[in-house]
Amino acid sequence: MRLKGKAYRDITIEKAARIGYAIGKIVGEKNLVISGRDAFRVSRMLKRAISAGVMSAGADVMDFHESTTGEIAFAIKRFGAKMGFMVSLDPALGGVYIRVFSSPGYELVGSELNQLLDYISGEIKEPHEVG
């Protein structure tokens, strides 16, 4: 299970920023999050929104720009990051999907991903801190 949907309709810029804010709150202030994306414009914009949300929670972001999911998973372990994410275009869906990774590079699935989604819908009202 990944976070997926149509860009700008199911996954809006605001929702992407909230996802980033939740990731930043989960890892804590001054901890590192790795970010990556594929080569498409929509992925670039959503990655920037997620990164902004992470930084607004006080966490740091190491940006890998265009990369593969394997590079993100490896970078989490290599640089001692707490979490990471990858934004990619999904041609079959006609939208995008967001993969979230935890240390040491495992993708969040099932109940772990549901905890992130519960955090977004429950505790967070609006990002309000500046990192």
Side-chain angles (χ1 to χ4, degrees):
M1 180 176 162
R2 297 180 179 133
L3 304 171
K4 57 185 173 180
K6 300 274 186 187
Y8 311 122
R9 187 174 58 186
D10 300 327
I11 301 177
T12 63
I13 299 300
E14 292 81 13
K15 188 179 280 186
R18 290 171 65 95
I19 291 168
Y21 185 76
I23 291 170
K25 280 299 194 182
I26 289 169
V27 301
E29 290 186 14
K30 305 295 181 195
N31 285 309
L32 184 61
V33 175
I34 305 292
S35 70
R37 64 173 173 87
D38 61 14
F40 297 97
R41 290 181 186 169
V42 65
S43 301
R44 181 184 321 143
M45 183 169 294
L46 291 174
K47 181 192 64 73
R48 288 177 179 170
I50 296 170
S51 296
V54 169
M55 291 184 287
S56 74
D60 296 323
V61 176
M62 181 181 286
D63 191 356
F64 270 63
H65 301 285
E66 292 179 25
S67 56
T68 64
T69 54
E71 289 173 325
I72 299 303
F74 176 77
I76 291 170
K77 186 173 183 178
R78 170 66 177 88
F79 295 107
K82 299 288 184 188
M83 292 183 90
F85 65 89
M86 176 78 181
V87 182
S88 303
L89 184 70
D90 185 1
L93 178 67
V96 296
Y97 63 90
I98 302 167
R99 299 174 77 175
V100 182
F101 300 88
S102 65
S103 179
Y106 299 116
E107 184 175 1
L108 293 181
V109 293
S111 64
E112 294 173 325
L113 189 58
N114 285 333
Q115 287 176 345
L116 176 68
L117 295 175
D118 290 344
Y119 191 86
I120 294 166
S121 62
E123 184 173 324
I124 298 173
K125 301 300 181 208
E126 289 298 322
H128 62 277
E129 298 178 25
V130 177

